[in-house]
Amino acid sequence: VTENVEAAVKECLGGRVEYRADSGGCVHALVGKVSFTTEALAENIRAFIDQIVAAKPVATKGQYMRKGCIASTMGPGVEIALVQVI
């Protein structure tokens, strides 16, 4: 809910993505649709991981991301390799 509807619509159409973390530390976000090409999905996933790494708190030490998994809304999860994630 917002008072400035025009700005909210521009943000959504401009590619703004919201994500959330649950109590176990898992981060959930929409990164694409089934109709997207493989390259578009890969680009979105890379951008999402880069954003998560950029949001890492300064005080956090050690490995920040342990594993990644991607799934459709009701499909099984498939683990993805997180290479060189700081």
Side-chain angles (χ1 to χ4, degrees):
V1 177
T2 180
E3 290 184 21
N4 191 349
V5 177
E6 183 179 355
V9 170
K10 283 183 181 179
E11 285 180 351
C12 288
L13 293 176
R16 178 180 176 195
V17 176
E18 292 184 7
Y19 57 90
R20 67 184 196 283
D22 63 18
S23 61
C26 295
V27 180
H28 305 270
L30 175 70
V31 292
K33 298 181 179 183
V34 174
S35 62
F36 284 13
T37 64
T38 304
E39 294 79 20
L41 282 172
E43 182 181 336
N44 285 355
I45 292 167
R46 282 189 203 100
F48 175 69
I49 291 172
D50 290 345
Q51 181 60 40
I52 296 297
V53 171
K56 175 184 174 182
V58 178
T60 304
K61 304 264 190 257
Q63 187 178 5
Y64 188 58
M65 296 177 72
R66 295 187 186 152
K67 67 178 185 175
C69 183
I70 187 167
S72 62
T73 302
M74 296 300 288
V78 177
E79 193 165 334
I80 58 174
L82 299 175
V83 181
Q84 298 295 329
V85 175
I86 299 172

